[in-house]
Each structure stands twice: as C-alpha cells, then as structure tokens.
C-alpha cells in the first residue's frame, strides 16, 4: 500500500537532527516571515513548519512517550492518504527548499532539511505533483527532465565550435575536468556552451564532456526520491570514473550543485573519487590564480541574484562577487543578499510543477520589491533555473530588467589571449 | 481560700486597685484585638465572674509551659489570672501530693461536672497502651479521656498538647499525639508555642471568663487574635527582607547590622504567633532580636520540618544525589531507547522498496 | 494534611519527585535524538562542523538583524519573557539559597525590586505573546492544546512568586508557588518546554549542516 510505504519512508528518514528539530519547535511562528510564500500571500498555511505537520505526527507516534501511548490507545489520529494529499501542495508547490526559514528559526531547526526528508515519504506514498513526476520520468527514461538528448547537445556543440573555432572535447579520457550542463542550459540558454569553451580555452584547462553523463539536473532530489536521485547522479559518476577525470564541474544550476556536490556521495553510498566544483567556484579559482584574465568593466548598475542552492545551501557565496567586482564597476547588492537572499520562487521543483505557476508568479513580488529598492536594470545570476524564473517573473510584472548569466558575462569580458595558452 | 468568691472581692482583698485591674483588661483587650470599649465590659464581666474550676493535666512535657506562665515578674498580670480561676489540680504547683492530690482532681470533676476547664500541657503517648507516661499508676491517655468527659472546654497549652510537639518528632517512639487526636467531642483551644507566650494563656482565660465562650480560632484551633499573623509579618527586620538584605552567617556584617535572618533558616514567614508584638520576658525582646531566626515552635511538626538553619526556600531533603542519579538513569534509558529506535529506523530502511519511475 | 505537612512534603519528597522527573526526562529528551545519530556525510567537507555548530548555538541567541514588525514583536516579547524568567529564576536570593543548599554553589543576588521588575516584565511579555497566539493567524494555525497548557504552567510560578510577598498568607502562597514550580518541572520533559535543552542540539545540527558546506547559519 502506498500510504504505508510513505509512512515507512518517513520513519526511515528520522535521524538525530529530525528528532531534535521536532523536539525543539515552540510554535513561535517566526519561520513564516522567512518564507516568501507566506510573506507574499499572508496565508498561514504557508508557514514552513506547518508543512511538516503530518511528519511531525509520525515522529510523535513512533518516537515519543506520549505520542506512542496516545497512538496505541487510538487517541492520536493516524496519518491518512487524504491528509497527505491535502499537504502535497504545501510540501511541493509552496516550498522551494530555499533554506531561508532554516536561518530564521530561533531554536535552530533546519526546516529545509526536514521538508527534503518529508518529500521522501510524500513521493513514496504517491503524493508528488504530476509535473515533477513527469519531469522525473523524462529524466530517468529520456536522460533529461526537459527531454534534451545527446543529439541536441551535439548540435549545440557543432554550432559553438563553428562560432568559437575551439574544438569541443567529448568523452576525452584522462581530462582534468568533466563539464556537465543543465537541461535549461542546453535547451534555452545555450550561449553558455561557447562561453565556457572560450573561458576554458583561455585558461588552458584540460576538460571534456561525456555523452553518457552530460545532464546535471536531478529531479529525484526535487521530488524527494533518493533512489531515483542516485540513479541520476550515478550517470555522471560513472562517466567521470570512466573518463578518469579529477574534477566534475557543476553547471550554473542550483539544485544540480546540491545533488552533485552535497547529496551525491551520500546518494550512491560512497565518496566520489573526484572533486565537484561549481563553475563559479572554478572561475574564481582561475581568476585569482591569474589563469583567467578579464578586460574592461561594465558601467551599468548590476546586482546579483543568489541562487539558493549555490549560496545559502551550497556555500559558494563570495566567489560570484569576486568575479563581478572585477568586471562591473557599478555592482550593487540587493537589500537582502548572500545567504539572506530571497528565492526566485521556482526552486526545489516548483518550476517543474505547472500547478504552482500562478502561486510562483504571485510570490515573485518579493523579488520585484527587492529589485525596486535598488532600481537596477541588470540582474546577474548563476543558475539557469533562477534565470528562467526571473525572466518569467519580470515579464509577468512588466518590469524593465534583464537577466544575464554570470559565466557568459565573464566570457564577454574575456581578455584576448596575448600569449599561447598553457598546455 | 474561699470558693465562689468573685474576682473583684479577691482583688480588693489583695489590695489591687480597680485602676490597675482596668489597665490589665485594656492590655488584654488590645492584645486580643478587641475593640477598646470592650476593656470596660471585660473588666465588669471579670469582676463579677465566679472563679471557675480549672484542672491542669501535665503529660509528656518538660514543664516549660508552666515555667513560662509562672516564672515571670512579680507581681505580674499573669499572676492575677490565677486569681481569676480556681486551680484545683496542677501537680507541679499544688501543695497536695499522692492520694490527696488525685482526690482534689476527682472532687473538682464531681463538683463542677460539665463546667470545669481542662488545661493540658504535654503530649499523650499512645504506643503500648500508653505505658510511656503514667501518673498515679494510670496512663495519660486514660486520665485525659476520663477528665475530658466533664470538661466544658479544653485548653491545650504548648505545642506538645496542641500538635504533639517534640515527643511527636520522628521517630516518635512513644506514639505521642495531641489532645485533639484523642478528644474529639469537646471544644479545644490550642495555645501552641514551645513554650507559649504567657499572656496568650491569660488572654484566652480572660476571654472565656468575660464572654463565656472560646475566642475565634484559626484552622489549627489557635486563637486568631494571637496567631492570625506571622512572625515575618510583624518582624522589625522585615524591611531588610523587602530590600533583599540578608545575614549570611551569624557573625557577618549583615548579622551585625541586624539584617534579615531568612537565609540563616528563620521560619518567621510560616510561623503564626505573637512573639514579634508581645515579646518575651516582660516585653524585653523575642528570639529574632537576639540575632537568631525563628524556629517555628508554634507550628505543627516544627521539629521535623528540616534543619532550623535551612532557609525556607531550600529543600528539606538532599536532592543532589537524586538529581545525579536521575540524570544518569535518564542517560541510560536514552541509550537503550535510542538503540531500539535506531533498530526501528534500520528495519524500515531494510524493508525499503527501491523506488523506480513506475512507482511515480 | 495541614499546611505545614503539605509544605514539608513539597519541600521534600514532592520536590524530589519533580526533580527526578525533570532531570530524568530532560536528559532523555536531549540525548535520545542525539543518540539516534545521523548518517556519516560522505561528501567532501568545505568547512567544519563543531565550530560552526557552536557558533550557531551562540548566534541564534543574538537579536536577529532583519525582521518584519510581526517578527520584531515575537522576538522582543520572547527576549523579555526569557530574560525576565531567567533573571527571576537565577538571581532571586531565595532561589540562590535553594541551589546553595543543594549543590553548594552560589552567586550574588539581585535586589528584590529588580527581580520584581523582571518578573512583571516577563509576565507582561507572556500575556502579550498569549494575545498574539490567539490573534495572529499563523500562530493560531500552528498552536495546539499543549501551547496553551505550557503557557499557563510557565505563567503560574511567576505570578505566585510575585504574589508571595504581597499575600495575606505567606505560607499558603508559598505552597501554591512551590506546587506551580513542581508542576512546571514535571511538565517540561513531556512538552515543547524540552526545547530548553534540545534547542542546543538543534542549533548545533543546523550550524553543523551549514558549516559543513561552508555556510555560516
């Protein structure tokens, strides 16, 4: 039975932090103010900790004195399918796993960690949104949630090779770096492909792409199925191991970074024999070591939208700023930036869930007011999903703002090679 | 000594002026918190009253109560009170001894049956049939039961007869109990204290003689007028308590400055008695004035209520070891339960069905 | 049972029972989650766990920088309540005497006037938080019976303690005060009040999870 499977799955997910977090919540309601779904709608049901209510009861019924007692006596109502169905929109449509509530909780609960775990039970019980289910199916069966195939990529590569005159290594055994991309980058923001090639060429990096593991997005993480997430991560791990690379470059995609960098080894149950670096992290390294040289600065007022999974939940915080400060003379921070930044509204699978579109666009008002506060026309970001969401939001609110990817911006300011690249 | 003589006649005989007597009545009235005009009424009533017969039984006691009443200044107002009553039996004070003494008790009981006052000091041992204390071959228990039958009222003088007192302290080998534990069908006034304040005894007698009734009593059957407030309420050191100025030892600066003795274990806040206002030794002082906290002697079980030197806010048992033990036990049970719960989680993980896209 | 016997019981066996339940239960509540453990993190760390964990324990006690008016209210009232409660609990000389007589350790007391102010402020904050709990839609939604129960149990010791020196009958109020304290002690391990210790493990975990990734939570 799916319900039982879901409940079992939630029991599986209970660990020290979960039990400690559930024990500590004092129902103060502060997390609501940290969640854009609450601040922009003022609907109490979007209070982050409320989204955990069914799982909290499972914890009580299975692991606490009173909970066990009342459950045995039939005084604590069991979690039902109807209840999980009712909670599905709360757990998926109105949570982007952005992690802002985890920073706000005065007793220290990492609510995002909790929602991620609750989704395991939701997915196992069949209570995941159809949109994310579809995306996951496509990712597993076709190789990409957006249905992008290796042939699509190859077409882009051919085009980029023509544009840049740089040869694209594919399945090159023994390269230092394996570059993986996100579906959106291949399907929508393909400018990134020649941009990366030019940067790597200038920096003299030994890199490759893999035809069996070119896609880094991970719907398994979003839907909350570690099994499916592991399968997706494994494609990249296998390719990396096959190609004997030392590094895998996580692309401009927030949750791909979380999936690869932080969850990856835990999903497959062993440490990676290679390092995972975020492309922004790598660019910063290259620049500070002098291998990446930029020229000229942009005078336009620019700001940086922190992708939650890269920054707040990922730890790549200063690097994008270091890079931007080199090329943007008018770089300004939004009122709440860095780890306090507000989510674009489409993370954590929300963008793959058409049911949530209306809500997502509504809560984009948070980003809008952040931008209005500094009156900036150009927003740089480093997550293709954020970028799509920002563009949609800007369109929806008829704003006059353009969004560009940080890697492309760097590529635009790439100094002409004055000497032969190092081998 | 002629019987049934009124008090005014006896006072006149002893050369005590009406003025002195009125003064005495005024003092009593104010002590008992009666309205001022009642002093005159009291004087009138007392002057006319016939001296009632009083039988005073002393059981398991130390004679401190009698000492308190009699070892006072001469001539004392307290001594006057003996002129108001006919003390027909008191084995410490009476001249008679042996059979003659017991006979005077039996005579009084017979002659004033239903009218005499019974005063008791000392507790009554009931273990082993009451063998722990006997008078003239009879147990205290037996004597009390017999004497109480014809009493109009009983006045229990001292904490022993009121609440069991020190003989009743743990482990209480003699099974000492209070008068009220034995006699349940007579009005009883408890004048507790170890010893009780002499003027309280006289006050209660005066009240009985004046109004023919017992005074208003609290829930422990003590006259409210004397036991209505606590030592703490009336203590001259109370301002220091309110300011948080406490003596920490008996010889520190605080003690020398006369600060509050709460932290040295003073039981003033929970002790109901008139010491702080009537004082002792002819109004000289009361224990706190000599630098020692109140022991709470007028309250039940005062001997067993923890150390005299433990502050009221501190536990009367040692909970240090218990706390440590509970912490260790809590940790132990947490280890055991978390191991069971880890197994539960582990079993759920073992039973985990790998999810495939078909399950979506 | 007369008042003296009751007071004696409350200062003796009653207290002992309450302290056993409190200590046993609270240690259990702290250790049980921690001992459930967590899976070893196989991802390569970017930062430490211990330091960031400890930092978060400290950091979440500080006043948050950015708050909504609603957030400001909750934090300020929460601060006043906790500080007032702790000052009353730890710096009233009678309470220090309790610790001194039990564990032999002691520290200077604050004047009773200061304690009264702290207690009054704490009570006022509790009252304000109660009103907020029943009027704020978020709080109303996430509150359950327990939230109201522990509110009462927390308020009573403050109220009765404050009333102690004004009460006509000190002893009766002392009895009520001690009963309220012992009820609170017994309730703590069974309710959300266990956060008084588990917040430390929660904050540590939060800080450690973030710290591992190089984020200061």
């Amino acid at each position: 039975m799916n319900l039982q499977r879901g409940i079992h799955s939630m029991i599986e997910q209970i660990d020290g932090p979960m039990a400690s977090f559930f024990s500590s919540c004092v129902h103060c309601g502060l997390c609501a103010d940290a969640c854009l779904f609450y601040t922009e709608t003022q609907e109490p049901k979007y209070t982050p900790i409320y989204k955990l209510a069914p799982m909290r009861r499972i914890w009580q019924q299975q692991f606490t004195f009173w909970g066990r007692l009342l459950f045995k006596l039939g005084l604590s109502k069991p979690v039902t399918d109807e209840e999980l169905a009712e909670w599905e929109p709360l757990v998926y449509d109105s949570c982007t796993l952005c992690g802002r509530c985890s920073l706000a909780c005065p007793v220290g609960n990492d609510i995002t960690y909790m929602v991620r775990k609750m989704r395991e039970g939701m997915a196992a019980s069949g209570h995941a949104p159809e949109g994310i289910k579809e995306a996951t199916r496509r990712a597993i069966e076709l190789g990409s949630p957006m249905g992008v195939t290796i042939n699509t990529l190859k077409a882009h590569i051919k085009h980029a090779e023509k544009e840049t005159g740089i040869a694209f290594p594919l399945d090159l055994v023994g390269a230092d770096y394996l570059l993986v991309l996100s579906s959106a980058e291949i399907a929508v923001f393909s400018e990134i492909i020649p941009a990366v090639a030019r940067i790597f060429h200038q920096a003299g990096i030994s890199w490759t792409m893999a035809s069996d593991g070119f896609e880094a997005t991970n719907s398994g993480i979003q839907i909350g199925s570690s099994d499916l997430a592991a399968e997706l991560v494994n494609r990249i791990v296998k390719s990396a191991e096959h190609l004997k690379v030392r590094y895998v470059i996580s692309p401009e995609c927030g949750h791909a970074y979380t999936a690869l960098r932080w969850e990856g080894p835990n999903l497959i149950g062993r440490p990676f024999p290679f390092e995972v670096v975020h492309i922004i992290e790598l660019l910063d390294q290259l620049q500070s070591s002098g291998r990446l040289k930029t020229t000229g600065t942009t005078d336009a007022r620019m700001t940086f939208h922190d992708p939650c999974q890269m920054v707040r939940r990922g730890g790549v915080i200063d690097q994008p700023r270091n890079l931007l400060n080199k090329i943007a003379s008018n770089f300004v921070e939004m009122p709440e930036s860095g780890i306090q930044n507000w989510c674009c509204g489409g993370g954590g699978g929300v963008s793959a869930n058409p049911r949530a579109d209306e809500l997502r666009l509504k809560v984009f008002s948070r980003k809008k007011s952040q931008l209005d506060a500094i009156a900036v026309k150009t927003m740089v970001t480093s997550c293709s999903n954020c970028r799509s969401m920002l563009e949609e939001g800007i369109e929806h609110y008829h704003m006059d703002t353009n969004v560009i990817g940080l890697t492309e911006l760097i590529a635009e300011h790439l100094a002409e090679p004055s000497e032969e690249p190092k081998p | 000594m002629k019987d049934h003589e009124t008090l005014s006649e006896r006072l006149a005989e002893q050369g005590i002026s009406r003025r002195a007597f009125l003064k005495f009545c005024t003092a009593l009235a104010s002590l008992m918190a009666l309205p001022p005009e009642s002093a005159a009424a009291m004087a009138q009533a007392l002057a006319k009253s016939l001296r009632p017969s009083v039988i005073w039984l002393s059981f398991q006691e130390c004679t401190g109560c009698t000492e308190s009443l009699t070892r006072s200044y001469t001539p004392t107002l307290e001594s006057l009170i003996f002129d108001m009553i006919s003390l027909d039996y008191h084995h410490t004070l009476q001249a008679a001894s042996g059979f003659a003494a017991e006979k005077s008790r039996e005579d009084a009981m017979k002659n004033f049956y239903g009218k005499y006052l019974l005063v008791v000091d000392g507790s009554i041992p009931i273990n082993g049939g009451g063998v722990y204390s006997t008078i003239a071959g009879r147990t205290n228990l037996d004597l009390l039961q017999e004497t109480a039958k014809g009493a109009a009222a009983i006045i229990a003088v001292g904490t022993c007869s009121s609440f069991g007192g020190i003989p009743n302290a743990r482990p209480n080998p003699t099974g000492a109990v209070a008068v009220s534990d034995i006699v349940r069908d007579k009005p009883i006034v408890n004048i507790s204290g170890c010893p009780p304040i002499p003027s309280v005894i006289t006050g209660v007698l005066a009240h009985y003689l004046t109004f023919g009734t017992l005074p208003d009593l609290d829930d422990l059957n003590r006259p409210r007028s004397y036991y209505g407030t606590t030592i703490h309420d009336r203590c001259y050191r109370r301002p220091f308590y309110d300011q948080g100025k406490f003596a920490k030892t008996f010889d520190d600066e605080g003690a020398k400055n006369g600060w509050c003795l709460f932290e040295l274990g003073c039981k003033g806040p929970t002790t109901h008695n008139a010491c702080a206002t009537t004082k002792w030794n002819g109004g000289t002082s009361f224990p706190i004035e000599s630098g020692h906290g109140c022991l709470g002697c007028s309250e039940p079980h005062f001997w067993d209520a923890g150390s005299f030197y433990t502050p009221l806010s501190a536990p009367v048992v040692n909970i240090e070891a218990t706390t440590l033990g509970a912490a260790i036990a809590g940790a132990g049970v947490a280890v055991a339960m978390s191991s069971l719960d880890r197994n539960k989680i582990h079993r759920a993980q073992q039973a985990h069905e790998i999810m495939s896209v078909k399950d979506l | 049972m007369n008042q003296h016997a009751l007071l004696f019981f409350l200062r003796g066996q009653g207290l002992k029972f309450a302290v056993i339940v409190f200590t046993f239960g609270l240690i259990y509540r702290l250790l049980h989650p921690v001992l459930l453990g967590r899976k070893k993190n196989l991802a390569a760390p970017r930062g430490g766990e211990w330091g960031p964990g400890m930092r978060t324990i400290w950091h979440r006690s500080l006043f948050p920088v950015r708050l909504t008016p609603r957030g400001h209210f909750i934090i300020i009232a929460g601060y006043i309540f906790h500080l007032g409660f702790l000052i009353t609990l730890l710096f009233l000389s009678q309470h220090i005497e309790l610790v001194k007589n039990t564990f032999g350790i002691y520290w200077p007391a604050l004047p009773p006037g200061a304690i009264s102010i702290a207690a009054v402020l704490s009570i006022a904050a509790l009252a304000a938080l109660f009103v907020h709990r029943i009027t704020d839609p978020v709080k109303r939604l996430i509150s359950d019976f327990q939230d109201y129960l522990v509110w009462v149990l927390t308020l009573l010791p403050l109220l009765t303690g404050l009333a102690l020196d004004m009460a006509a009958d000190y002893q009766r109020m002392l009895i009520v005060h001690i009963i309220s304290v012992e009820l609170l002690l017994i309730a703590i391990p069974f309710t959300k009040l266990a956060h008084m210790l588990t917040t430390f493990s929660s904050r540590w975990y939060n800080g450690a999870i973030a710290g591992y990734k190089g984020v200061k939570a």
Side-chain angles (χ1 to χ4, degrees), chain B residues 241 299 304 313 341-342, chain C residues 4 8 11 32 35 94 165:
Chain B
Y241 171 91
E299 300 295 339
D304 286 332
S313 62
D341 287 341
R342 269 206 316 276
Chain C
H4 284 274
F8 183 73
R11 291 172 65 204
H32 177 265
L35 290 170
Q94 281 87 337
D165 288 334

Side-chain angles (χ1 to χ4, degrees), chain A residues 66-358:
Chain A
W66 285 117
R68 275 187 242 233
L69 188 70
L70 294 176
F71 190 52
K72 290 242 164 69
L73 295 174
L75 295 170
S76 174
K77 69 176 164 77
V79 171
T80 60
D81 256 320
E82 293 71 47
E83 188 179 3
L84 293 184
E86 191 189 335
W87 249 259
E88 184 194 306
L90 299 182
V91 177
Y92 288 100
D93 301 19
S94 67
C95 177
T96 61
L97 300 176
C98 82
R100 224 170 165 278
C101 51
S102 299
L103 289 187
C105 177
V107 295
N109 292 352
D110 189 342
I111 302 170
T112 317
Y113 178 95
M114 301 167 91
V115 174
R116 166 68 184 86
K117 278 176 167 283
M118 181 168 173
R119 284 190 182 183
E120 291 279 340
M122 297 295 284
S125 65
H127 292 289
E130 216 36 61
I132 311 183
K133 282 184 185 173
E134 284 301 325
T136 311
R137 273 189 208 113
R138 282 194 298 270
I140 298 282
E141 285 163 358
L142 303 175
S144 148
M146 297 174 92
V148 176
T149 64
I150 184 65
N151 293 331
T152 328
L153 178 62
K154 279 180 176 164
H156 280 301
I157 288 177
K158 197 169 280 175
H159 186 76
E161 280 182 332
K162 207 174 283 174
E163 183 191 322
T164 58
I166 299 165
F168 271 63
L170 189 64
D171 298 325
L172 175 67
V173 178
D176 282 347
Y177 290 87
L178 170 65
L179 175 70
V180 287
L181 295 171
S182 75
S183 291
E185 286 173 316
I186 301 166
V188 188
F189 305 113
S190 57
E191 315 88 272
I192 187 105
I193 299 170
V196 170
R198 287 173 57 218
I199 293 169
F200 285 179
H201 181 72
Q202 194 218 45
I205 277 181
S206 143
W207 67 289
T208 184
M209 293 187 76
S211 47
D212 292 334
F214 62 91
E215 223 285 69
T217 53
N218 195 321
S219 305
I221 296 278
Q222 297 175 331
I223 201 166
S225 168
S226 290
D227 297 334
L228 298 175
E231 193 176 331
L232 295 171
V233 161
N234 236 335
R235 293 178 182 166
I236 296 167
V237 175
K238 274 185 195 154
S239 296
E241 286 177 340
H242 168 69
L243 299 175
K244 299 187 171 58
V245 296
R246 288 161 61 199
Y247 304 94
V248 170
I249 303 168
S250 175
E252 284 198 353
C253 172
H255 84 271
Y257 183 60
T258 285
L260 210 51
R261 175 70 175 87
W262 301 116
E263 287 211 23
N266 299 306
L267 288 169
I268 65 164
R270 62 187 168 92
F272 287 164
F274 50 84
E275 267 182 48
V276 176
V277 288
H278 194 279
I279 179 92
I280 298 302
E281 211 179 357
L282 175 63
L283 294 185
D284 181 55
Q285 283 169 20
L286 292 175
Q287 188 178 59
S288 59
S289 64
R291 291 173 73 183
L292 169 65
K293 291 187 183 67
T294 53
T295 177
T297 54
T298 305
D299 293 338
R301 261 164 75 82
M302 279 185 186
T303 190
F304 182 70
H305 165 79
D306 295 89
C308 307
Q309 298 300 321
M310 178 182 109
V311 179
R312 180 163 44 236
R313 302 296 287 180
V316 182
I317 306 161
D318 296 330
Q319 291 89 333
R321 291 169 169 80
N322 297 342
L323 291 167
L324 267 172
N325 278 324
K326 280 277 189 321
I327 52 171
S329 54
N330 254 325
F331 170 59
V332 284
E333 293 278 16
M334 277 183 270
E336 286 157 297
S337 61
I339 60 169
Q340 287 295 344
N341 189 39
W342 289 92
C343 181
C344 63
V350 173
S351 62
N353 175 7
R355 184 178 68 194
D357 281 352
E358 197 187 328

